[in-house]
Amino acid sequence: MGIFIDYAFSAECSEEELLQKLNRLRRKILELPAQMQIESVSEVIRVDPVYSPMLPRELEKQGYALPELVARRLAEPQSESYNQLRIDLVSPFFSFVPKELVYRFEQPGIVLAKNSPYWRTEDYPEELKIGWAITYFRDGIFLEFARVLLRYGYIIIVNPGKGCESVCIGLSTYRTSDPNATPLWLGSGFTKTQYAENVQRAHTNVCEILDIIKDEGLLYAAQDNSGFYEHRDWQKSAPIIREELGFVRGFSQIFEEVVQDDPDITTISSPALGPLDPELL
């Protein structure tokens, strides 16, 4: 729903080479023309460990003790903003990436999960339900423990325009015991541009940023639901944009009417939808 671009990143290289690529990429984004109005570009940030904090919290909430080594790793103090970076790196799926490649990426974690001396199978449930929608099976619990111990990565956060969602350029990998192994790095995410103050500029900026990522050999694939990334022609994207934003505006109007009828809810501001060229609307 709305206007967005999905993307996936990949690289098979040393950590040193990845950092060189990310630093070059960051410099190129910073050198983009001022008229593009890129809001901000973060430093290259190391995130270690990379894992979903939801599972450890839920295990403890339901009375299960974390393995000592995992608990010690999680006890290292981190800020809330740092925890958000972890979430940005832990994609629930890798868009466009073949299952075979994802399996190879996860292999170090899978091996540790199945053969770890750090936890006992009988200490954890066959399945753990979180709310009504999420279920972790035992193998998944152990894989998450392995991620806490082995997975790490790097991320750059780019704000492509005022009001727009960020572009999170993040790739992670697993430590292995083989000093000669070449790390496989993967990442995935998406950016909604419909809330930007200037939708066209922000959307174009996201595409330009993805072009730079591609030039550095880090872009696996990208897909734009308006088609603009592929053809760079706003007129071709106009029918899709009209349909998507019309649906979002209709949904927002219904939501506002429901909220206004509820005395227990205060409306602070209406959902923002940035302007487009009138010819496209």
Side-chain angles (χ1 to χ4, degrees), residues 38-60:
I38 300 292
E39 282 283 294
S40 62
V41 184
S42 77
E43 300 289 334
V44 178
I45 306 167
R46 180 183 172 93
V47 181
D48 187 6
V50 171
Y51 70 98
S52 171
M54 177 173 59
L55 178 64
R57 284 200 302 261
E58 191 64 26
L59 280 169
E60 293 184 316

mmCIF file of all heavy atoms in Angstrom, residues 38-60:
data_model
loop_
_atom_site.group_PDB
_atom_site.id
_atom_site.type_symbol
_atom_site.label_atom_id
_atom_site.label_comp_id
_atom_site.label_asym_id
_atom_site.label_seq_id
_atom_site.Cartn_x
_atom_site.Cartn_y
_atom_site.Cartn_z
ATOM 1 N N ILE A 38 19.225 16.000 0.158
ATOM 2 C CA ILE A 38 19.393 14.863 1.058
ATOM 3 C C ILE A 38 19.446 15.398 2.483
ATOM 4 O O ILE A 38 20.243 16.287 2.791
ATOM 5 C CB ILE A 38 20.682 14.085 0.729
ATOM 6 C CG1 ILE A 38 20.660 13.539 -0.703
ATOM 7 C CG2 ILE A 38 20.895 12.953 1.737
ATOM 8 C CD1 ILE A 38 19.664 12.464 -0.969
ATOM 9 N N GLU A 39 18.611 14.879 3.354
ATOM 10 C CA GLU A 39 18.512 15.420 4.707
ATOM 11 C C GLU A 39 19.721 15.062 5.569
ATOM 12 O O GLU A 39 20.264 15.907 6.269
ATOM 13 C CB GLU A 39 17.235 14.894 5.380
ATOM 14 C CG GLU A 39 15.967 15.582 4.937
ATOM 15 C CD GLU A 39 15.803 16.951 5.582
ATOM 16 O OE1 GLU A 39 15.639 17.014 6.811
ATOM 17 O OE2 GLU A 39 15.864 17.941 4.841
ATOM 18 N N SER A 40 20.131 13.788 5.559
ATOM 19 C CA SER A 40 21.237 13.376 6.425
ATOM 20 C C SER A 40 21.812 12.044 5.956
ATOM 21 O O SER A 40 21.124 11.249 5.315
ATOM 22 C CB SER A 40 20.767 13.245 7.888
ATOM 23 O OG SER A 40 19.763 12.250 7.998
ATOM 24 N N VAL A 41 23.080 11.842 6.307
ATOM 25 C CA VAL A 41 23.781 10.588 6.019
ATOM 26 C C VAL A 41 24.583 10.227 7.268
ATOM 27 O O VAL A 41 25.423 11.004 7.718
ATOM 28 C CB VAL A 41 24.742 10.717 4.818
ATOM 29 C CG1 VAL A 41 25.363 9.364 4.492
ATOM 30 C CG2 VAL A 41 24.021 11.286 3.602
ATOM 31 N N SER A 42 24.318 9.074 7.846
ATOM 32 C CA SER A 42 25.023 8.677 9.072
ATOM 33 C C SER A 42 26.440 8.215 8.753
ATOM 34 O O SER A 42 26.816 8.036 7.587
ATOM 35 C CB SER A 42 24.272 7.549 9.782
ATOM 36 O OG SER A 42 24.498 6.303 9.123
ATOM 37 N N GLU A 43 27.211 8.023 9.789
ATOM 38 C CA GLU A 43 28.493 7.340 9.649
ATOM 39 C C GLU A 43 28.236 5.872 9.307
ATOM 40 O O GLU A 43 27.101 5.399 9.388
ATOM 41 C CB GLU A 43 29.271 7.421 10.972
ATOM 42 C CG GLU A 43 29.582 8.828 11.446
ATOM 43 C CD GLU A 43 30.635 9.517 10.594
ATOM 44 O OE1 GLU A 43 31.458 8.803 9.975
ATOM 45 O OE2 GLU A 43 30.639 10.762 10.545
ATOM 46 N N VAL A 44 29.277 5.162 8.947
ATOM 47 C CA VAL A 44 29.182 3.709 8.838
ATOM 48 C C VAL A 44 29.214 3.163 10.264
ATOM 49 O O VAL A 44 30.179 3.366 10.993
ATOM 50 C CB VAL A 44 30.343 3.124 8.018
ATOM 51 C CG1 VAL A 44 30.236 1.599 7.957
ATOM 52 C CG2 VAL A 44 30.347 3.702 6.613
ATOM 53 N N ILE A 45 28.153 2.504 10.674
ATOM 54 C CA ILE A 45 27.996 2.077 12.063
ATOM 55 C C ILE A 45 28.102 0.565 12.156
ATOM 56 O O ILE A 45 27.419 -0.161 11.434
ATOM 57 C CB ILE A 45 26.635 2.534 12.625
ATOM 58 C CG1 ILE A 45 26.452 4.043 12.436
ATOM 59 C CG2 ILE A 45 26.493 2.143 14.094
ATOM 60 C CD1 ILE A 45 25.028 4.517 12.676
ATOM 61 N N ARG A 46 28.959 0.090 13.055
ATOM 62 C CA ARG A 46 29.061 -1.348 13.309
ATOM 63 C C ARG A 46 27.986 -1.748 14.310
ATOM 64 O O ARG A 46 27.817 -1.074 15.344
ATOM 65 C CB ARG A 46 30.448 -1.695 13.865
ATOM 66 C CG ARG A 46 30.638 -3.193 14.160
ATOM 67 C CD ARG A 46 32.013 -3.447 14.770
ATOM 68 N NE ARG A 46 32.158 -4.808 15.230
ATOM 69 C CZ ARG A 46 32.667 -5.817 14.525
ATOM 70 N NH1 ARG A 46 33.093 -5.589 13.288
ATOM 71 N NH2 ARG A 46 32.768 -7.033 15.015
ATOM 72 N N VAL A 47 27.264 -2.814 14.020
ATOM 73 C CA VAL A 47 26.216 -3.320 14.907
ATOM 74 C C VAL A 47 26.576 -4.752 15.279
ATOM 75 O O VAL A 47 26.691 -5.622 14.415
ATOM 76 C CB VAL A 47 24.832 -3.274 14.227
ATOM 77 C CG1 VAL A 47 23.757 -3.778 15.178
ATOM 78 C CG2 VAL A 47 24.511 -1.860 13.757
ATOM 79 N N ASP A 48 26.764 -5.005 16.555
ATOM 80 C CA ASP A 48 27.228 -6.313 17.010
ATOM 81 C C ASP A 48 26.750 -6.523 18.455
ATOM 82 O O ASP A 48 27.154 -5.779 19.344
ATOM 83 C CB ASP A 48 28.754 -6.355 16.934
ATOM 84 C CG ASP A 48 29.340 -7.731 17.232
ATOM 85 O OD1 ASP A 48 28.549 -8.683 17.387
ATOM 86 O OD2 ASP A 48 30.582 -7.844 17.302
ATOM 87 N N PRO A 49 25.872 -7.497 18.688
ATOM 88 C CA PRO A 49 25.376 -8.510 17.752
ATOM 89 C C PRO A 49 24.161 -8.032 16.970
ATOM 90 O O PRO A 49 23.536 -7.029 17.319
ATOM 91 C CB PRO A 49 24.991 -9.664 18.673
ATOM 92 C CG PRO A 49 24.552 -8.983 19.937
ATOM 93 C CD PRO A 49 25.448 -7.784 20.078
ATOM 94 N N VAL A 50 23.823 -8.784 15.926
ATOM 95 C CA VAL A 50 22.616 -8.544 15.143
ATOM 96 C C VAL A 50 21.632 -9.664 15.456
ATOM 97 O O VAL A 50 21.914 -10.837 15.189
ATOM 98 C CB VAL A 50 22.929 -8.513 13.628
ATOM 99 C CG1 VAL A 50 21.651 -8.489 12.814
ATOM 100 C CG2 VAL A 50 23.800 -7.298 13.291
ATOM 101 N N TYR A 51 20.496 -9.315 16.045
ATOM 102 C CA TYR A 51 19.488 -10.317 16.426
ATOM 103 C C TYR A 51 18.173 -9.601 16.665
ATOM 104 O O TYR A 51 18.119 -8.371 16.756
ATOM 105 C CB TYR A 51 19.913 -11.052 17.703
ATOM 106 C CG TYR A 51 19.861 -10.176 18.926
ATOM 107 C CD1 TYR A 51 18.777 -10.211 19.795
ATOM 108 C CD2 TYR A 51 20.888 -9.274 19.211
ATOM 109 C CE1 TYR A 51 18.707 -9.391 20.901
ATOM 110 C CE2 TYR A 51 20.825 -8.446 20.314
ATOM 111 C CZ TYR A 51 19.740 -8.509 21.154
ATOM 112 O OH TYR A 51 19.680 -7.672 22.245
ATOM 113 N N SER A 52 17.097 -10.369 16.775
ATOM 114 C CA SER A 52 15.794 -9.802 17.108
ATOM 115 C C SER A 52 15.616 -9.826 18.624
ATOM 116 O O SER A 52 15.633 -10.903 19.231
ATOM 117 C CB SER A 52 14.677 -10.602 16.444
ATOM 118 O OG SER A 52 13.419 -10.169 16.926
ATOM 119 N N PRO A 53 15.451 -8.664 19.263
ATOM 120 C CA PRO A 53 15.322 -8.639 20.727
ATOM 121 C C PRO A 53 14.006 -9.213 21.236
ATOM 122 O O PRO A 53 13.858 -9.467 22.426
ATOM 123 C CB PRO A 53 15.434 -7.141 21.063
ATOM 124 C CG PRO A 53 15.005 -6.442 19.819
ATOM 125 C CD PRO A 53 15.417 -7.318 18.674
ATOM 126 N N MET A 54 13.046 -9.430 20.341
ATOM 127 C CA MET A 54 11.725 -9.900 20.764
ATOM 128 C C MET A 54 11.791 -11.271 21.432
ATOM 129 O O MET A 54 11.175 -11.495 22.473
ATOM 130 C CB MET A 54 10.787 -9.957 19.554
ATOM 131 C CG MET A 54 9.402 -10.500 19.862
ATOM 132 S SD MET A 54 8.288 -10.362 18.440
ATOM 133 C CE MET A 54 9.194 -11.332 17.215
ATOM 134 N N LEU A 55 12.552 -12.211 20.842
ATOM 135 C CA LEU A 55 12.575 -13.571 21.372
ATOM 136 C C LEU A 55 13.198 -13.656 22.763
ATOM 137 O O LEU A 55 12.593 -14.257 23.664
ATOM 138 C CB LEU A 55 13.292 -14.509 20.406
ATOM 139 C CG LEU A 55 13.412 -15.955 20.906
ATOM 140 C CD1 LEU A 55 12.052 -16.599 21.058
ATOM 141 C CD2 LEU A 55 14.306 -16.773 19.985
ATOM 142 N N PRO A 56 14.400 -13.105 23.005
ATOM 143 C CA PRO A 56 14.942 -13.184 24.372
ATOM 144 C C PRO A 56 14.015 -12.593 25.428
ATOM 145 O O PRO A 56 13.851 -13.159 26.510
ATOM 146 C CB PRO A 56 16.251 -12.387 24.274
ATOM 147 C CG PRO A 56 16.642 -12.490 22.834
ATOM 148 C CD PRO A 56 15.353 -12.478 22.073
ATOM 149 N N ARG A 57 13.382 -11.462 25.097
ATOM 150 C CA ARG A 57 12.450 -10.845 26.055
ATOM 151 C C ARG A 57 11.289 -11.782 26.362
ATOM 152 O O ARG A 57 10.894 -11.939 27.514
ATOM 153 C CB ARG A 57 11.922 -9.518 25.490
ATOM 154 C CG ARG A 57 12.887 -8.359 25.558
ATOM 155 C CD ARG A 57 12.155 -7.033 25.442
ATOM 156 N NE ARG A 57 11.380 -6.948 24.206
ATOM 157 C CZ ARG A 57 11.777 -6.321 23.106
ATOM 158 N NH1 ARG A 57 12.964 -5.746 23.085
ATOM 159 N NH2 ARG A 57 11.020 -6.280 22.035
ATOM 160 N N GLU A 58 10.756 -12.409 25.321
ATOM 161 C CA GLU A 58 9.590 -13.269 25.510
ATOM 162 C C GLU A 58 9.946 -14.548 26.269
ATOM 163 O O GLU A 58 9.163 -15.032 27.083
ATOM 164 C CB GLU A 58 8.976 -13.615 24.152
ATOM 165 C CG GLU A 58 7.623 -14.285 24.239
ATOM 166 C CD GLU A 58 6.544 -13.389 24.848
ATOM 167 O OE1 GLU A 58 6.677 -12.144 24.747
ATOM 168 O OE2 GLU A 58 5.577 -13.936 25.413
ATOM 169 N N LEU A 59 11.127 -15.096 26.009
ATOM 170 C CA LEU A 59 11.558 -16.288 26.743
ATOM 171 C C LEU A 59 11.615 -15.999 28.241
ATOM 172 O O LEU A 59 11.094 -16.775 29.055
ATOM 173 C CB LEU A 59 12.930 -16.748 26.246
ATOM 174 C CG LEU A 59 12.946 -17.560 24.948
ATOM 175 C CD1 LEU A 59 14.375 -17.701 24.441
ATOM 176 C CD2 LEU A 59 12.325 -18.942 25.159
ATOM 177 N N GLU A 60 12.243 -14.898 28.601
ATOM 178 C CA GLU A 60 12.350 -14.549 30.017
ATOM 179 C C GLU A 60 10.973 -14.246 30.608
ATOM 180 O O GLU A 60 10.692 -14.612 31.752
ATOM 181 C CB GLU A 60 13.290 -13.361 30.182
ATOM 182 C CG GLU A 60 14.740 -13.699 29.831
ATOM 183 C CD GLU A 60 15.692 -12.561 30.089
ATOM 184 O OE1 GLU A 60 15.352 -11.421 29.734
ATOM 185 O OE2 GLU A 60 16.780 -12.813 30.640
#
